[in-house]
Amino acid sequence: MTDPGAAIADEFIRGTRLLRAGRGEQALAAFRTVYARAEAAGDSDFMAAALCEMAWSCYRIGDAEQGLECAMGAKWLWERLGNRLEMARAMAVESILFLDLGFSDEAYDLATMAVEIAQASDDAPMQAFALNAKGIVLTVCRESELGANLVEQAVAIATQQKNGGAAGYYLLNLGFCHAKMAEEAGSLGQPDRAMGEREAAIEFTNESIEQARHSGDAWTLRAALGNKAELLALQGSFDLALEVLAQCVELNDAPGTGLRIHYLYTLGDVLFRAGRLDEALVSATEAVELADTTRLIDHQTNAVAKLAEILEARGDTSAALVQFKRFHNLYVRQSGETAQRRARVASIRSETDLWRDRAAVLADQALSDPLTCIANRRSFDQILNRLAGTAFSTAIVDLDNFKTINDRYSHIVGDAVLQRVARTLVDQLGPHGHAARLGGEEFALVFPNVPEQSAVAFCEGIRIAISSIDWSDLGAGLGVTVSIGLATGQGEEPSGLLMQIADNRLYAAKANGRDCVIWADTIPADERLRA
């Protein structure tokens, strides 16, 4: 029988490969499958990861609204799971989608928070992803130099990490930053500066093309080739621009709809600038027809505007007038989209709230022990991961002779004992630590930023509290004691090593008569904590 977890992971990898190949629609379908399977399996981590990749897929195919809904869901679920780093990634994706929808303020706030969270960690790839997102936002908000600086940092990190795929994507955006700087210089009547920025944009885009080819990132490659062709056409290098676009045709991948429209629009624009109007008309017409199938107004507006311009240049005034009128109607609709989009975003947020209620139940089920209702092993492992690099103590608590309790009093009584022990652990720890059930009669404790002697005192208090409980309501003559092994780290030891040390000390406690706490490997018998 196929392992469900392995099947989910395999489908996730397939979706990632489809996305890198530029096949956004197929990638989106794959990640939807991942989400559905993960939901059925109660795997909240894969649910959140799939939502984030669904959002990224939507961005690449130009469906920002659907992507925003997925990004919001991913952000919330990662936050609930306690994974702030992945939450930062979802926020960065969300910021880019908000930018696509024209909400620059929301985009800036989200990107800024993503950068702050990422930079508080030592995860360089996440830092680069967040810096890139904020750089794009700043550039669109006419702070191109600041934006370019952040994207340059992202490129440097990806290059240092030898991540060619990420470097290629960030270089694509760095070229975009310099292209915007060229536009700004041109509007200010600074032709020399505009030319210099455009040349820089072409240089960075060339580097993006090389990295994308080498890493097999077809989406970035196609986008970079299109951008380079546009930049060359603006310089009057029409033949070179057409040679670049010809490279798109030679690629073996099947481009997504958004990339295909971008290619056709760019080809029509280059041919138009080169004076090859008949050929330009063919490309622009196909771009409009394809844009109409998507019903995405941004694609439609740009394609219709170019078609009208070409028709006018050819002297076909009546056809041009029809397209200009259509462009006007689309432009009016596009201008009114902000208010409508705000309403739709509010609706998305409302729907996401409903989704959260359902996801909350699933997340609780995935992270809590169904019998005792305290954290389970997965949740405990996440706590340890968050504490990595900090000083903390961890303990393993095991009920003494629990099999005898089950055999003598029944498993129903045994379950009641486990539930009462779990409540006692939580009550004794209060806000000073966390308790989890690892499985069977074994529990684990963790004490963040608590001195070793304080952790020892807590463990001793727990031992005494459990042995002092009146258990007679569950069974005549019933008594329960626990053995505890404790280990303390200063932030340098892996959590797995501390757990192993605690486990070894638990066995030492068992070997030394049970009902005691062992917190060091060599403790004189008269110093062992025992009733």
Side-chain angles (χ1 to χ4, degrees), residues 304 323-333:
V304 168
Q323 295 302 324
F324 274 122
K325 286 181 177 179
R326 187 180 180 206
F327 166 74
H328 173 74
N329 291 333
L330 287 167
Y331 183 78
V332 169
R333 278 180 52 203

Side-chain angles (χ1 to χ4, degrees), residues 178 182 191-201:
H178 282 276
D192 291 341
R193 180 176 164 233
M195 178 64 74
E197 294 294 351
R198 196 171 294 117
E199 289 176 350

Side-chain angles (χ1 to χ4, degrees), residues 255-337:
T257 304
L259 286 175
R260 178 64 180 170
I261 293 171
H262 182 216
Y263 163 77
L264 290 168
Y265 172 87
T266 305
L267 178 59
D269 182 61
V270 173
L271 290 168
F272 169 69
R273 292 174 183 274
R276 295 163 62 174
L277 301 182
D278 291 344
E279 295 168 86
L281 178 62
V282 173
S283 293
T285 300
E286 188 177 348
V288 169
E289 290 173 351
L290 191 56
D292 285 343
T293 67
T294 69
R295 296 189 178 278
L296 296 174
I297 196 166
D298 293 337
H299 283 321
Q300 290 175 298
T301 304
N302 292 334
V304 168
K306 182 56 59 181
L307 178 58
E309 192 176 8
I310 294 169
L311 287 167
E312 183 183 34
R314 292 178 78 249
D316 195 343
T317 54
S318 59
L321 181 59
V322 170
Q323 295 302 324
F324 274 122
K325 286 181 177 179
R326 187 180 180 206
F327 166 74
H328 173 74
N329 291 333
L330 287 167
Y331 183 78
V332 169
R333 278 180 52 203
Q334 189 182 41
S335 300
E337 277 281 295

Side-chain angles (χ1 to χ4, degrees), residues 110-129:
L110 283 162
T112 299
M113 287 188 284
V115 169
E116 289 174 357
I117 294 171
Q119 290 189 326
S121 74
D122 59 356
D123 192 303
M126 195 66 75
Q127 291 172 10
F129 191 79

Side-chain angles (χ1 to χ4, degrees), residues 396 442 485-487 498-508:
I396 298 180
E442 196 169 69
L486 174 69
L498 289 181
M499 288 291 287
Q500 183 61 56
I501 293 172
D503 195 48
N504 292 341
R505 290 173 181 171
L506 170 65
Y507 278 103

Side-chain angles (χ1 to χ4, degrees), residues 416-444:
V417 167
L418 292 171
Q419 291 169 336
R420 192 170 295 182
V421 166
R423 288 197 298 272
T424 303
L425 294 176
V426 172
D427 291 343
Q428 289 292 314
L429 289 174
H432 305 290
H434 307 279
R437 183 185 178 202
L438 298 184
E441 69 270 28
E442 196 169 69
F443 296 83

Side-chain angles (χ1 to χ4, degrees), residues 367-381 395-400 402-403 406 414-415 417-419 421-422 425 435-445 482-483 499 503 506-507 510:
L367 296 174
S368 65
D369 174 59
L371 175 64
T372 62
C373 297
I374 65 173
N376 62 11
R377 179 59 186 260
R378 172 184 285 183
S379 180
F380 185 72
D381 287 341
I396 298 180
V397 181
D398 190 82
L399 276 64
D400 296 326
F402 185 68
K403 184 178 184 300
N406 279 332
D415 287 348
V417 167
L418 292 171
Q419 291 169 336
V421 166
L425 294 176
R437 183 185 178 202
L438 298 184
E441 69 270 28
E442 196 169 69
F443 296 83
L445 311 173
V482 295
S483 300
M499 288 291 287
D503 195 48
L506 170 65
Y507 278 103
K510 295 285 189 182

